[in-house]
Amino acid sequence: MSAHETAGRLGELEYVARVEELPLRRSDGTPQGTVSAFSYTVDAPGRPVVFLTNGGPGVSSIYLHLSGIGPWRSRIPVHPDDADQPPYGIEESPSSILDVADLVFLDAPGTGFGTFADDADHSLFRTVEGDADAIAAAIGDWRDRHGRWDAPTYFLGESYGTLRAAFLATNPHGMDTAPLAGIALLGQAVNIQETQDRPGSIVGALANLPYKAATAWYHGTGSRGHATVEDATAEALDFARGDLATAMLQGDELPAADRAAVAERLSAMIGIPAEELVRDRLWISKTDFRERLLAGQVLGVTDSRYRAPAADRRLGELDHDPADTALSPRYVTGLSRLRHDVFGDDSARPYRVVDTEAGRHWDWQEQGGAAFPTYGRPSPFHTYPYPARLSRWMKQNPHARLFIGTGVYDALTTVGAADHLLRHFGLPRERTESHWYRAGHMMYSDPEVAAQLNADLRAFLTR
C-alpha cells in the first residue's frame, strides 16, 4: 500500500496530511482492491478520530473533504447568485474542527483513488450490507496502521452516507473492529422510504411541507408573516402535524369549504395559489413546487436558494439542478488545487468523483426486511427498516450519541423527514441532537453556515 504525506499548519496547529490506500476486502479478509483516504492528524494523545464519507451511493468524499470541516474548504461566495463567478480554488477553513479531532475522509469502493482488483466482484460492495462491511474494514485497517485502537471513534455521513452510518454501527464486522462513540448525520436519508415524495404518501407530503415554507420565505412568496426562516419552518411543522394532516387524511371526504380554507392557509405558507391547491387536492410534489414557485424559473434540488431559467422542453432542453451546476465545479476544481498545491501531486492518476455504475446496480435489501412478508422481486410488500439500525445501536451502546444536521432549503433530505425520524423510531432524545441550518443539502457550502455547523460538531465531539 502506498501513502503520501506532508506537514501542514492551521493557525498555530501543526498537522500531518496523508493520502493513503487501504485494502478493500470482505470481512473474511479476501483482498478485492483498495479504498483511498485523505487524513489530517495532530500529534497529541487522546484525540478522537472522525471518519467521514459522502453518499450517492457512488459519490466520493470530495464535498465533505472541502467543506471546511477539515483544514481546507472550496471557495464559495455567500450569495447564491455569485456562485458561478470566479475566483475558484480553495482556502483555509477558519473554523475547522481539526483542533479537537483527527479527520479521515474515506472514498467508498469505486470512488476517489479506490480501485477494484481485476477479479473482484463489484456487486459485493454495491449493497447496503456489503458497502458497510467494506467501510468497517477500512476503518479498522486505518486504526491498526496508525495505532489508534484506543481513540474515541466517530463517523460522519452525508446523504447516502447517513444510511452507511446506520449500517456501519450495527455491521457485525464493524461492531468487532470499529465501535462508535457517536454518529453525525448531515442531510439524513435513513427514513427515506417513509418520507419519499411518492403519490399517495401523506407522510411524505407532510414531511416535505417545512422545506416548501422555508423556500417560499426565502424567495419572498410565502410565510411572509415571519421574521426568520426558523419561525416559518416551525409553523409549517406544526401545521403539518395538525390541521393539514387531518385534512389530507380525509381525502375526497373533506368538505369543499374545509378544503378551500386549508388551501388558503397552505397557499399563504408555500406561495402556490390556493385555487391550484384545491384543484390538486392539497397535493404538490417537491419537483412541481420547485418548478411552479417562481414563474419561468426552476429552483435547485440540493439547495433551493439557487435558481435558473426553466428548461424549454419545446426545444428538447433537459432539466438540471441549478445548485449542482453552481457548486459541483467548485469542489472538483478545489480538489485539483489541493492535490497540486498541498500534496504536490502532479500525477495523471484520476480521482473518481462519481461512480455512476454504483447507483444503477445498488442492492437496497437488508436482513431486517426478512421479518416482513415479501412476494416477487422486487416485492411491493418489502420493508426497509433502516432506522432500526440506529435505534439498535443506541440501545446496545448506552453512551453513544447521535447528531442530525439538516439544511432548511434542502429538497432531498428535508427538515420534516428528520423530525419524523426523531418522533417515530425510538431514538433516545437525551442522547440525540438535531440542528437546522440556513442552507441546503451541503449546508457547509455557505461560508457563514459552515462556521455554525463546525461549532455544533465541535461541541458534539467535546461534550
Side-chain angles (χ1 to χ4, degrees):
M1 300 299 165
S2 63
H4 179 80
E5 64 180 57
T6 184
R9 179 186 290 272
L10 188 65
E12 297 299 315
L13 188 70
E14 295 182 350
Y15 65 86
V16 175
R18 298 181 181 87
V19 184
E20 303 177 70
E21 294 176 4
L22 302 165
L24 169 62
R25 57 184 175 86
R26 297 286 288 175
S27 55
D28 63 6
T30 305
Q32 298 281 288
T34 62
V35 172
S36 64
F38 285 86
S39 64
Y40 300 89
T41 61
V42 173
D43 185 13
R47 284 168 57 86
V49 182
V50 183
F51 294 89
L52 307 92
T53 76
N54 279 95
V59 175
S60 72
S61 64
I62 184 173
Y63 301 99
L64 283 172
H65 188 180
L66 295 177
S67 66
I69 292 174
W72 299 98
R73 59 172 281 110
S74 287
R75 188 179 288 121
I76 299 172
V78 172
H79 200 285
D81 290 345
D82 298 329
D84 60 347
Q85 301 296 317
Y88 281 34
I90 56 175
E91 58 193 9
E92 285 191 351
S93 172
S95 61
S96 170
I97 65 171
L98 186 59
D99 60 321
V100 297
D102 292 341
L103 306 170
V104 184
F105 299 90
L106 294 171
D107 291 319
T111 70
F113 294 130
T115 61
F116 283 108
D118 290 341
D119 59 348
D121 182 355
H122 296 202
S123 67
L124 295 175
F125 305 99
R126 289 174 175 162
T127 75
V128 288
E129 303 273 9
D131 170 82
D133 199 48
I135 295 298
I139 289 174
D141 287 326
W142 190 94
R143 296 176 72 195
D144 191 33
R145 179 181 295 183
H146 296 284
R148 303 301 300 279
W149 284 105
D150 291 332
T153 302
Y154 293 80
F155 186 85
L156 186 155
E158 180 185 343
S159 200
Y160 178 80
T162 64
L163 277 75
R164 179 179 290 134
F167 278 84
L168 178 67
T170 56
N171 176 272
H173 186 64
M175 292 294 288
D176 291 340
T177 61
L180 298 175
I183 287 175
L185 310 177
L186 301 185
Q188 78 82 25
V190 181
N191 63 335
I192 196 167
Q193 268 67 33
E194 290 76 31
T195 56
Q196 182 62 286
D197 208 1
R198 296 191 302 263
S201 172
I202 292 177
V203 169
L206 300 175
N208 295 329
L209 178 61
Y211 149 74
K212 295 168 187 170
T215 301
W217 181 91
Y218 178 84
H219 290 289
T221 58
S223 296
R224 299 316 299 160
H226 297 291
T228 68
V229 69
E230 289 82 8
D231 289 343
T233 302
E235 186 198 22
L237 275 172
D238 287 342
F239 185 35
R241 298 181 194 128
D243 293 346
L244 183 60
T246 300
M248 294 194 75
L249 285 168
Q250 292 182 64
D252 290 337
E253 294 187 4
L254 181 67
D258 292 347
R259 176 172 290 139
V262 172
E264 287 289 347
R265 185 176 173 188
L266 184 59
S267 174
M269 188 171 288
I270 68 173
I272 300 297
E275 60 271 18
E276 295 181 19
L277 295 171
V278 169
R279 180 198 66 198
D280 296 336
R281 301 164 62 246
L282 307 178
W283 288 86
I284 180 170
S285 71
K286 291 180 291 184
T287 299
D288 284 346
F289 173 79
R290 291 187 301 102
E291 294 177 347
R292 289 163 58 183
L293 184 67
L294 302 179
Q297 301 274 303
V298 63
L299 306 181
V301 178
T302 55
D303 190 332
S304 289
R305 295 177 301 168
Y306 291 82
R307 59 184 178 177
D312 190 336
R313 294 185 176 88
R314 298 168 301 177
L315 300 177
E317 292 179 354
L318 299 177
D319 294 328
H320 74 288
D321 178 357
D324 184 61
T325 300
L327 295 175
S328 286
R330 288 187 170 273
Y331 289 94
V332 174
T333 301
L335 187 74
S336 296
R337 300 310 309 171
L338 184 77
R339 290 179 62 182
H340 181 273
D341 297 349
V342 177
F343 289 95
D345 181 2
D346 293 321
S347 70
R349 178 174 56 159
Y351 181 91
R352 197 172 189 183
V353 176
V354 178
D355 175 10
T356 57
E357 292 299 311
R360 293 193 187 106
H361 301 292
W362 204 258
D363 184 347
W364 295 89
Q365 297 189 57
E366 60 113 333
Q367 293 177 1
F372 299 88
T374 59
Y375 303 95
R377 299 180 60 187
S379 169
F381 304 103
H382 195 72
T383 299
Y384 300 85
Y386 300 153
R389 297 280 180 155
L390 288 177
S391 60
R392 173 185 160 196
W393 167 67
M394 297 191 82
K395 288 175 181 175
Q396 291 176 330
N397 299 274
H399 301 291
R401 292 179 294 113
L402 181 66
F403 178 106
I404 302 173
T406 312
V408 295
Y409 305 120
D410 177 14
L412 281 179
T413 56
T414 65
V415 165
D419 180 75
H420 185 268
L421 178 72
L422 286 172
R423 289 174 178 273
H424 294 281
F425 290 100
L427 302 175
R429 299 298 282 270
E430 71 278 6
R431 290 186 280 134
T432 302
E433 57 187 84
S434 181
H435 303 267
W436 300 347
Y437 297 103
R438 295 182 179 184
H441 191 62
M442 300 181 296
M443 66 283 295
Y444 45 76
S445 65
D446 186 305
E448 296 176 355
V449 173
Q452 180 187 352
L453 169 65
N454 285 344
D456 292 338
L457 288 172
R458 182 178 290 104
F460 176 70
L461 292 169
T462 57
R463 186 168 292 115

